[in-house]
Amino acid sequence: MQRLGRSWQRAGARVGLVPTMGCLHDAHLSLVRRARRAVGPRGRVVVSIYVNPTQFAPGEDFARYPRDLARDCGLCRAAGVDVIFAPSDRQMYARGADGDFSTFVSEESLARGMEGAARPTHFRGVTTVVAKLFHLVQPEVAIFGAKDYQQAAIIKRMVRDLNFPVKIIVAPIRRERDGLAMSSRNRYLTGDLRRQAVVLWQALQRARAAVRPPGKTIPAARLKAALRRFIARTPAARLDYMEFFDPATLTPVAKVRRGVHLALAVFVGGTRLIDNTRL
Ligand code: PAF
């Protein structure tokens, strides 16, 4: 992959990367279209498909994370992807003669709260694998989805701090008709759980409505308590965290007004879902 990336670069082709963990759905395909727009018809679009073990903690869903490479390849082909990069764990995390893989990239400020607090080793795995993908593919642009808002902010920071010559584009969240954000993990939502999962979207909508009147501010603690009560009315839902924060710095805010960002993680049955919105 690296040889190919370098040869494209030498030939002056623009290269766009869409990093994914596979089990592709419409939201991924919208990232592919965004990549194509960015690099143009003569550019190269690479989709990486790799369920990265280092971003899962023991006890999380790494082993059962949905994988369907044959289907993913068909979708990529139909979407005009030039190369699918689907490395194995051995290729990504080599165990050489001199021991185990032992170099990691970690962002140490934006990664502290929210997902970082709930999943302490998660972002170190993400930044490490994304740094590796950038070195391997050598893209000029990389496209990430806004559903992982904190992840996108951390990757932008990593790119800035470590001088990666990569432009990061963050594409809007894609939603199902009832508002549920598209995610590979939605596959886990069987039966009535799928219906109950809409509670994340409904909570975001409630927060938006609460600060819709111009100039309205509400103490974050009060709005959190109201949303917590609302989420608790859905039998299968268990709130993991909810945070109101400044969208540029990710710093939590004490007063909620329009323009503040809200992110939340909720277990619906055994499935952990995340979502966010600008209020
Ligand atoms: O957002 C994801 O799917 C993953 O975190 C990523 C960016 C592909 C890294 O494994």
Side-chain angles (χ1 to χ4, degrees), residues 19-21 28 48 50 52 55 65 122 125-126 129-130 133 144 148 151 155:
T20 81
M21 298 205 300
H28 292 117
S48 63
Y50 181 57
N52 171 38
Q55 68 189 75
Y65 193 87
H122 172 66
V126 171
V129 83
V130 171
L133 290 169
F144 293 85
D148 298 283
Q151 168 175 282
I155 287 165

PDB file of all heavy atoms in Angstrom, residues 19-21 28 48 50 52 55 65 122 125-126 129-130 133 144 148 151 155, ligand 1:
ATOM      1  N   PRO A  19     -11.046   6.104   6.085  1.00  0.00           N
ATOM      2  CA  PRO A  19     -10.743   5.016   7.026  1.00  0.00           C
ATOM      3  C   PRO A  19     -12.041   4.454   7.599  1.00  0.00           C
ATOM      4  O   PRO A  19     -12.892   5.210   8.058  1.00  0.00           O
ATOM      5  CB  PRO A  19      -9.941   5.698   8.137  1.00  0.00           C
ATOM      6  CG  PRO A  19      -9.628   7.074   7.646  1.00  0.00           C
ATOM      7  CD  PRO A  19     -10.694   7.415   6.654  1.00  0.00           C
ATOM      8  N   THR A  20     -12.197   3.141   7.576  1.00  0.00           N
ATOM      9  CA  THR A  20     -13.410   2.529   8.125  1.00  0.00           C
ATOM     10  C   THR A  20     -13.037   1.240   8.859  1.00  0.00           C
ATOM     11  O   THR A  20     -11.933   0.714   8.690  1.00  0.00           O
ATOM     12  CB  THR A  20     -14.440   2.130   7.023  1.00  0.00           C
ATOM     13  OG1 THR A  20     -14.042   0.877   6.445  1.00  0.00           O
ATOM     14  CG2 THR A  20     -14.550   3.175   5.937  1.00  0.00           C
ATOM     15  N   MET A  21     -14.009   0.751   9.609  1.00  0.00           N
ATOM     16  CA  MET A  21     -13.849  -0.579  10.205  1.00  0.00           C
ATOM     17  C   MET A  21     -14.758  -1.571   9.482  1.00  0.00           C
ATOM     18  O   MET A  21     -15.076  -2.635  10.008  1.00  0.00           O
ATOM     19  CB  MET A  21     -14.154  -0.543  11.700  1.00  0.00           C
ATOM     20  CG  MET A  21     -13.176   0.373  12.444  1.00  0.00           C
ATOM     21  SD  MET A  21     -12.953  -0.015  14.189  1.00  0.00           S
ATOM     22  CE  MET A  21     -14.591   0.185  14.806  1.00  0.00           C
ATOM     23  N   HIS A  28     -20.997   5.489   5.259  1.00  0.00           N
ATOM     24  CA  HIS A  28     -19.647   5.301   4.710  1.00  0.00           C
ATOM     25  C   HIS A  28     -19.619   5.701   3.237  1.00  0.00           C
ATOM     26  O   HIS A  28     -18.663   6.317   2.767  1.00  0.00           O
ATOM     27  CB  HIS A  28     -19.217   3.830   4.813  1.00  0.00           C
ATOM     28  CG  HIS A  28     -19.000   3.344   6.212  1.00  0.00           C
ATOM     29  ND1 HIS A  28     -19.752   2.344   6.769  1.00  0.00           N
ATOM     30  CD2 HIS A  28     -18.083   3.701   7.151  1.00  0.00           C
ATOM     31  CE1 HIS A  28     -19.328   2.099   8.002  1.00  0.00           C
ATOM     32  NE2 HIS A  28     -18.314   2.911   8.258  1.00  0.00           N
ATOM     33  N   SER A  48     -10.001   2.180   3.632  1.00  0.00           N
ATOM     34  CA  SER A  48      -9.357   1.155   4.457  1.00  0.00           C
ATOM     35  C   SER A  48     -10.439   0.464   5.271  1.00  0.00           C
ATOM     36  O   SER A  48     -11.372   1.105   5.770  1.00  0.00           O
ATOM     37  CB  SER A  48      -8.269   1.746   5.351  1.00  0.00           C
ATOM     38  OG  SER A  48      -8.816   2.659   6.256  1.00  0.00           O
ATOM     39  N   TYR A  50     -10.553  -2.038   8.369  1.00  0.00           N
ATOM     40  CA  TYR A  50      -9.724  -2.703   9.368  1.00  0.00           C
ATOM     41  C   TYR A  50     -10.358  -2.507  10.744  1.00  0.00           C
ATOM     42  O   TYR A  50     -10.525  -1.372  11.207  1.00  0.00           O
ATOM     43  CB  TYR A  50      -8.301  -2.109   9.355  1.00  0.00           C
ATOM     44  CG  TYR A  50      -7.389  -2.770  10.360  1.00  0.00           C
ATOM     45  CD1 TYR A  50      -7.170  -4.142  10.318  1.00  0.00           C
ATOM     46  CD2 TYR A  50      -6.776  -2.025  11.371  1.00  0.00           C
ATOM     47  CE1 TYR A  50      -6.369  -4.764  11.254  1.00  0.00           C
ATOM     48  CE2 TYR A  50      -5.955  -2.640  12.305  1.00  0.00           C
ATOM     49  CZ  TYR A  50      -5.761  -4.005  12.244  1.00  0.00           C
ATOM     50  OH  TYR A  50      -4.970  -4.630  13.165  1.00  0.00           O
ATOM     51  N   ASN A  52      -9.784  -2.337  14.140  1.00  0.00           N
ATOM     52  CA  ASN A  52      -8.513  -2.084  14.810  1.00  0.00           C
ATOM     53  C   ASN A  52      -8.535  -2.549  16.267  1.00  0.00           C
ATOM     54  O   ASN A  52      -9.193  -1.925  17.104  1.00  0.00           O
ATOM     55  CB  ASN A  52      -8.247  -0.575  14.741  1.00  0.00           C
ATOM     56  CG  ASN A  52      -7.075  -0.166  15.581  1.00  0.00           C
ATOM     57  OD1 ASN A  52      -6.079  -0.873  15.664  1.00  0.00           O
ATOM     58  ND2 ASN A  52      -7.180   0.999  16.214  1.00  0.00           N
ATOM     59  N   GLN A  55      -8.127  -0.170  19.581  1.00  0.00           N
ATOM     60  CA  GLN A  55      -9.082   0.832  20.063  1.00  0.00           C
ATOM     61  C   GLN A  55     -10.248   0.200  20.826  1.00  0.00           C
ATOM     62  O   GLN A  55     -11.180   0.889  21.204  1.00  0.00           O
ATOM     63  CB  GLN A  55      -9.578   1.718  18.925  1.00  0.00           C
ATOM     64  CG  GLN A  55     -10.449   1.051  17.881  1.00  0.00           C
ATOM     65  CD  GLN A  55     -10.701   1.958  16.684  1.00  0.00           C
ATOM     66  OE1 GLN A  55      -9.837   2.172  15.841  1.00  0.00           O
ATOM     67  NE2 GLN A  55     -11.896   2.519  16.616  1.00  0.00           N
ATOM     68  N   TYR A  65     -17.569  -7.638  16.517  1.00  0.00           N
ATOM     69  CA  TYR A  65     -17.823  -6.489  15.645  1.00  0.00           C
ATOM     70  C   TYR A  65     -18.149  -7.022  14.240  1.00  0.00           C
ATOM     71  O   TYR A  65     -17.433  -7.885  13.725  1.00  0.00           O
ATOM     72  CB  TYR A  65     -16.600  -5.561  15.605  1.00  0.00           C
ATOM     73  CG  TYR A  65     -16.924  -4.211  14.987  1.00  0.00           C
ATOM     74  CD1 TYR A  65     -17.430  -3.182  15.781  1.00  0.00           C
ATOM     75  CD2 TYR A  65     -16.767  -3.987  13.633  1.00  0.00           C
ATOM     76  CE1 TYR A  65     -17.770  -1.961  15.220  1.00  0.00           C
ATOM     77  CE2 TYR A  65     -17.108  -2.771  13.065  1.00  0.00           C
ATOM     78  CZ  TYR A  65     -17.603  -1.756  13.868  1.00  0.00           C
ATOM     79  OH  TYR A  65     -17.952  -0.549  13.311  1.00  0.00           O
ATOM     80  N   HIS A 122      -9.214   3.961  24.285  1.00  0.00           N
ATOM     81  CA  HIS A 122      -9.800   3.980  22.941  1.00  0.00           C
ATOM     82  C   HIS A 122      -9.067   4.921  21.983  1.00  0.00           C
ATOM     83  O   HIS A 122      -8.625   4.519  20.897  1.00  0.00           O
ATOM     84  CB  HIS A 122     -11.273   4.380  23.054  1.00  0.00           C
ATOM     85  CG  HIS A 122     -11.955   4.620  21.750  1.00  0.00           C
ATOM     86  ND1 HIS A 122     -12.163   3.622  20.837  1.00  0.00           N
ATOM     87  CD2 HIS A 122     -12.457   5.761  21.185  1.00  0.00           C
ATOM     88  CE1 HIS A 122     -12.786   4.116  19.769  1.00  0.00           C
ATOM     89  NE2 HIS A 122     -12.964   5.414  19.951  1.00  0.00           N
ATOM     90  N   GLY A 125      -5.658   4.042  20.607  1.00  0.00           N
ATOM     91  CA  GLY A 125      -5.745   3.065  19.519  1.00  0.00           C
ATOM     92  C   GLY A 125      -6.138   3.725  18.214  1.00  0.00           C
ATOM     93  O   GLY A 125      -5.597   3.405  17.146  1.00  0.00           O
ATOM     94  N   VAL A 126      -7.074   4.684  18.297  1.00  0.00           N
ATOM     95  CA  VAL A 126      -7.538   5.355  17.075  1.00  0.00           C
ATOM     96  C   VAL A 126      -6.415   6.196  16.473  1.00  0.00           C
ATOM     97  O   VAL A 126      -6.123   6.102  15.272  1.00  0.00           O
ATOM     98  CB  VAL A 126      -8.770   6.255  17.369  1.00  0.00           C
ATOM     99  CG1 VAL A 126      -9.112   7.113  16.160  1.00  0.00           C
ATOM    100  CG2 VAL A 126      -9.973   5.413  17.783  1.00  0.00           C
ATOM    101  N   VAL A 129      -3.684   3.965  14.920  1.00  0.00           N
ATOM    102  CA  VAL A 129      -3.997   3.306  13.645  1.00  0.00           C
ATOM    103  C   VAL A 129      -4.172   4.344  12.532  1.00  0.00           C
ATOM    104  O   VAL A 129      -3.775   4.102  11.387  1.00  0.00           O
ATOM    105  CB  VAL A 129      -5.220   2.362  13.773  1.00  0.00           C
ATOM    106  CG1 VAL A 129      -6.548   3.092  13.656  1.00  0.00           C
ATOM    107  CG2 VAL A 129      -5.143   1.274  12.717  1.00  0.00           C
ATOM    108  N   VAL A 130      -4.748   5.506  12.860  1.00  0.00           N
ATOM    109  CA  VAL A 130      -4.936   6.516  11.807  1.00  0.00           C
ATOM    110  C   VAL A 130      -3.570   7.065  11.370  1.00  0.00           C
ATOM    111  O   VAL A 130      -3.328   7.263  10.175  1.00  0.00           O
ATOM    112  CB  VAL A 130      -5.904   7.629  12.269  1.00  0.00           C
ATOM    113  CG1 VAL A 130      -5.937   8.779  11.280  1.00  0.00           C
ATOM    114  CG2 VAL A 130      -7.320   7.061  12.446  1.00  0.00           C
ATOM    115  N   LEU A 133      -2.245   4.511   9.076  1.00  0.00           N
ATOM    116  CA  LEU A 133      -2.936   4.535   7.773  1.00  0.00           C
ATOM    117  C   LEU A 133      -2.451   5.728   6.939  1.00  0.00           C
ATOM    118  O   LEU A 133      -2.277   5.609   5.722  1.00  0.00           O
ATOM    119  CB  LEU A 133      -4.454   4.606   7.981  1.00  0.00           C
ATOM    120  CG  LEU A 133      -5.092   3.331   8.545  1.00  0.00           C
ATOM    121  CD1 LEU A 133      -6.550   3.591   8.959  1.00  0.00           C
ATOM    122  CD2 LEU A 133      -5.023   2.187   7.541  1.00  0.00           C
ATOM    123  N   PHE A 144     -13.649  11.837   7.550  1.00  0.00           N
ATOM    124  CA  PHE A 144     -14.190  11.192   8.756  1.00  0.00           C
ATOM    125  C   PHE A 144     -15.626  11.655   8.952  1.00  0.00           C
ATOM    126  O   PHE A 144     -16.001  12.739   8.504  1.00  0.00           O
ATOM    127  CB  PHE A 144     -13.361  11.578   9.987  1.00  0.00           C
ATOM    128  CG  PHE A 144     -11.968  11.024   9.937  1.00  0.00           C
ATOM    129  CD1 PHE A 144     -10.960  11.700   9.255  1.00  0.00           C
ATOM    130  CD2 PHE A 144     -11.661   9.817  10.542  1.00  0.00           C
ATOM    131  CE1 PHE A 144      -9.675  11.183   9.180  1.00  0.00           C
ATOM    132  CE2 PHE A 144     -10.376   9.284  10.470  1.00  0.00           C
ATOM    133  CZ  PHE A 144      -9.377   9.965   9.795  1.00  0.00           C
ATOM    134  N   ASP A 148     -18.633  10.662  15.045  1.00  0.00           N
ATOM    135  CA  ASP A 148     -17.538  10.560  16.020  1.00  0.00           C
ATOM    136  C   ASP A 148     -16.887  11.943  16.133  1.00  0.00           C
ATOM    137  O   ASP A 148     -15.758  12.155  15.690  1.00  0.00           O
ATOM    138  CB  ASP A 148     -16.545   9.495  15.561  1.00  0.00           C
ATOM    139  CG  ASP A 148     -17.180   8.127  15.483  1.00  0.00           C
ATOM    140  OD1 ASP A 148     -17.373   7.505  16.527  1.00  0.00           O
ATOM    141  OD2 ASP A 148     -17.527   7.690  14.361  1.00  0.00           O
ATOM    142  N   GLN A 151     -13.600  12.152  18.033  1.00  0.00           N
ATOM    143  CA  GLN A 151     -12.551  11.489  17.246  1.00  0.00           C
ATOM    144  C   GLN A 151     -12.028  12.418  16.146  1.00  0.00           C
ATOM    145  O   GLN A 151     -10.816  12.543  15.951  1.00  0.00           O
ATOM    146  CB  GLN A 151     -13.119  10.208  16.626  1.00  0.00           C
ATOM    147  CG  GLN A 151     -12.232   9.586  15.562  1.00  0.00           C
ATOM    148  CD  GLN A 151     -12.764   8.263  15.043  1.00  0.00           C
ATOM    149  OE1 GLN A 151     -12.624   7.241  15.708  1.00  0.00           O
ATOM    150  NE2 GLN A 151     -13.362   8.240  13.866  1.00  0.00           N
ATOM    151  N   ILE A 155      -8.234  13.807  15.735  1.00  0.00           N
ATOM    152  CA  ILE A 155      -7.424  13.530  14.545  1.00  0.00           C
ATOM    153  C   ILE A 155      -6.930  14.840  13.930  1.00  0.00           C
ATOM    154  O   ILE A 155      -5.769  14.948  13.521  1.00  0.00           O
ATOM    155  CB  ILE A 155      -8.202  12.647  13.562  1.00  0.00           C
ATOM    156  CG1 ILE A 155      -8.260  11.232  14.153  1.00  0.00           C
ATOM    157  CG2 ILE A 155      -7.550  12.622  12.181  1.00  0.00           C
ATOM    158  CD1 ILE A 155      -9.255  10.325  13.542  1.00  0.00           C
TER     159      ILE A 155
HETATM  160  O1  PAF B   1     -14.341   5.693  13.065  1.00  0.00           O
HETATM  161  C1  PAF B   1     -13.877   4.556  12.815  1.00  0.00           C
HETATM  162  O2  PAF B   1     -14.494   3.746  12.140  1.00  0.00           O
HETATM  163  C2  PAF B   1     -12.526   4.151  13.389  1.00  0.00           C
HETATM  164  O3  PAF B   1     -12.332   4.709  14.645  1.00  0.00           O
HETATM  165  C3  PAF B   1     -11.350   4.485  12.458  1.00  0.00           C
HETATM  166  C4  PAF B   1     -11.223   5.973  12.237  1.00  0.00           C
HETATM  167  C5  PAF B   1     -11.551   3.768  11.124  1.00  0.00           C
HETATM  168  C6  PAF B   1     -10.048   3.982  13.069  1.00  0.00           C
HETATM  169  O4  PAF B   1     -10.060   2.623  13.287  1.00  0.00           O
END
